[in-house]
């Protein structure tokens, strides 16, 4: 009889633990999905500190935009959100993409000079965590990080620090640093969500310790508006999604090789996104593969 009670107790605790995990995962998924929709976005960045007394602080960066975030993959352990910018109410710019993977073990860590190192984590390291993988406008790699969604005291947030290439607002203007350590915090709010950043601008050289050039604070504030304001983007995605699915599939074949990855910044003085943006939406998979393949370094 005692053995039966012991087994009953073990079963009860196991059931409660599994139920709690399921509840937590549902909260995570709800938080991630709440980032979808139509948003007025403000982008604000300001450098806050440099260890170099002679360093001249860069100008603050402020911009605004209207953005549609479309849920394009909705699976048990994977959610994918495609962002689309609406420019002057008449033009759509395919923007960044974020994939969220539950208890994912494989990531590509940014190193430097357009190179990423493949990293395999253990199941224990990523237990209960979500990996956020962020991609360029051409669906090439940008940065990845794994962490736990936190739901406490009415707050819902995820935060992680990881290496990334220079942001678009700087890489065409600056060459005094080559890696950004992104401190990313995504917090769901009653008006939308906030991407808060505590970034380190790093000089990284082979065989040497990283050198901090400057620190930066960033706020990308997403304020929810009526989905009707993003109708143009929704229509554009409906018309173009099959082409970009083919592009994503080509990249997935590359990522799934689970090897280090190094990319050329341009081919014949043109970046990859210019080739892809200029293609017909009926372009065949083999032609997409050929273009993407030209940007892969041996």
């Amino acid at each position: 009889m005692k053995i039966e009670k012991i087994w009953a107790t073990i079963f009860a605790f196991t059931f409660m633990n599994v139920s709690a995990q399921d509840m937590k995962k549902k909260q995570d998924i709800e938080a991630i999905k709440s980032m979808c929709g139509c948003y007025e976005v403000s982008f604000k960045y300001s450098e806050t500190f440099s260890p170099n007394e002679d360093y001249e602080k860069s100008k603050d960066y402020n911009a605004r935009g209207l953005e549609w975030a479309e849920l394009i993959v909705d699976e048990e352990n994977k959610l994918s959100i495609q962002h689309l910018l609406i420019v002057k109410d008449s033009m759509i710019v395919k923007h960044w993409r974020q994939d969220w993977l539950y208890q994912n073990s494989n990531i590509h860590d940014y190193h430097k000079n357009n190179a990423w190192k493949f990293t395999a984590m253990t199941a224990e390291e990523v237990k209960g965590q979500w990996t956020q993988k962020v991609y360029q406008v051409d669906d090439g790699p940008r940065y990845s990080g794994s962490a736990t969604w936190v739901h406490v005291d009415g707050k819902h947030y995820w935060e992680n620090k990881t290496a990334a290439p220079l942001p678009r607002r700087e890489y065409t203007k600056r060459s005094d640093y080559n890696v950004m350590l992104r401190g990313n915090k995504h917090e769901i709010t009653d008006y939308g969500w906030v991407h808060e950043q505590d970034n380190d601008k790093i000089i990284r050289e082979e065989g040497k310790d990283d050198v901090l050039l400057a620190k930066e604070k960033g706020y990308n504030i997403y304020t929810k508006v009526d989905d009707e304001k993003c109708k143009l983007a929704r229509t554009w995605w409906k018309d173009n999604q099959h082409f970009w699915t083919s592009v994503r599939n080509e990249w997935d074949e590359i990522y799934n090789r689970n090897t280090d990855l190094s990319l050329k910044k341009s081919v014949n003085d043109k970046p990859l996104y210019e080739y892809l943006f200029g293609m017909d939406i009926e372009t065949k998979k083999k032609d997409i593969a050929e273009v993407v393949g030209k940007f892969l370094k041996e």
Side-chain angles (χ1 to χ4, degrees):
M1 194 68 177
K2 287 183 178 179
I3 293 177
E4 291 177 351
K5 286 184 178 180
I6 291 171
W7 278 111
T9 302
I10 292 172
F11 176 80
F13 274 115
T14 302
F15 178 77
M16 289 172 61
N17 187 47
V18 171
S19 296
Q21 289 176 355
D22 288 344
M23 288 275 292
K24 168 66 168 55
K25 186 179 178 184
K26 286 179 181 178
Q27 281 185 298
D28 298 346
I29 291 172
E30 184 179 342
I32 294 167
K33 286 185 176 181
S34 71
M35 290 190 281
C36 298
C38 188
Y39 294 93
E40 290 178 347
V41 192
S42 62
F43 305 92
K44 303 177 180 181
Y45 295 92
S46 180
E47 290 187 347
T48 59
F49 165 80
S50 174
N52 183 351
E53 292 182 358
D54 297 327
Y55 178 76
E56 185 175 340
K57 178 181 180 291
S58 70
K59 290 183 179 180
D60 291 353
Y61 178 88
N62 291 278
R64 301 187 67 85
L66 182 64
E67 189 156 295
W68 173 251
E70 172 102 9
L71 184 66
I72 60 173
V73 176
D74 185 1
E75 299 174 356
E76 182 181 358
N77 293 319
K78 179 180 180 180
L79 302 168
S80 182
I81 303 172
Q82 176 63 60
H83 293 253
L84 303 168
L85 277 175
I86 302 171
V87 181
K88 296 181 179 179
D89 297 323
S90 61
M91 184 175 73
I92 303 302
V93 175
K94 181 179 175 292
H95 206 195
W96 63 297
R97 185 179 107 238
Q98 51 173 326
D99 286 0
W100 291 87
L101 307 174
Y102 186 62
Q103 298 187 154
N104 163 72
S105 295
N106 297 334
I107 63 173
H108 283 86
D109 277 322
Y110 186 69
H111 180 50
K112 66 184 178 74
N113 299 337
N114 231 29
W116 291 257
K117 293 190 173 184
F118 174 74
T119 302
M121 298 173 288
T122 66
E124 189 61 32
E125 285 179 299
V126 299
K127 185 177 181 181
Q129 294 189 349
W130 289 83
T131 297
Q132 184 202 40
K133 294 187 176 184
V134 172
Y135 300 88
Q136 311 270 23
V137 297
D138 54 24
D139 288 317
R142 189 152 181 76
Y143 60 87
S144 302
S146 187
T148 304
W149 272 92
V150 176
H151 311 284
V152 63
D153 295 336
K155 295 182 178 181
H156 309 274
Y157 63 90
W158 177 98
E159 58 183 330
N160 171 266
K161 192 148 194 170
T162 192
L166 271 61
R168 185 171 297 276
R169 60 190 160 85
E170 294 212 324
Y171 82 82
T172 57
K173 304 172 183 176
R174 300 183 64 164
S175 58
D176 54 345
Y177 76 102
N178 60 347
V179 174
M180 176 174 278
L181 284 180
R182 280 181 170 268
N184 296 304
K185 181 178 180 181
H186 295 266
E187 182 167 0
I188 310 305
T189 66
D190 56 359
Y191 56 82
W193 59 286
V194 176
H195 181 191
E196 182 179 351
Q197 299 172 50
D198 288 285
N199 301 325
D200 297 341
K201 298 180 178 182
I202 297 294
I203 301 167
R204 179 172 290 176
E205 296 181 27
E206 216 65 49
K208 297 182 180 181
D209 292 338
D210 286 352
V211 176
L212 174 66
L213 178 69
K215 285 182 173 288
E216 174 187 75
K217 189 71 180 181
Y219 289 99
N220 295 346
I221 302 171
Y222 290 75
T223 302
K224 193 82 164 65
V225 296
D226 194 296
D227 284 356
E228 192 63 23
K229 292 190 71 171
C230 290
K231 184 178 179 181
L232 188 68
R234 295 160 64 190
T235 301
W236 185 93
W237 184 251
K238 184 178 179 181
D239 293 340
N240 290 270
Q241 61 180 322
H242 296 301
F243 170 78
W244 288 105
T245 297
S246 296
V247 175
R248 290 198 311 277
N249 289 342
E250 178 57 32
W251 275 115
D252 283 345
E253 290 182 15
I254 295 168
Y255 299 139
N256 291 337
R257 296 172 188 171
N258 293 343
T259 58
D260 294 349
L261 180 60
S262 186
L263 300 176
K264 301 173 186 176
K265 290 186 177 181
S266 64
V267 172
N268 295 326
D269 295 323
K270 283 177 63 175
L272 177 57
Y273 72 85
E274 287 191 16
Y275 284 95
L276 294 176
F277 285 5
M279 284 182 163
D280 187 273
I281 60 174
E282 301 299 328
T283 301
K284 291 182 169 45
K285 183 181 184 303
K286 65 179 181 62
D287 296 320
I288 294 171
E290 182 180 351
V291 168
V292 173
K294 289 179 180 178
F295 284 81
L296 300 177
K297 291 184 180 177
E298 291 296 331

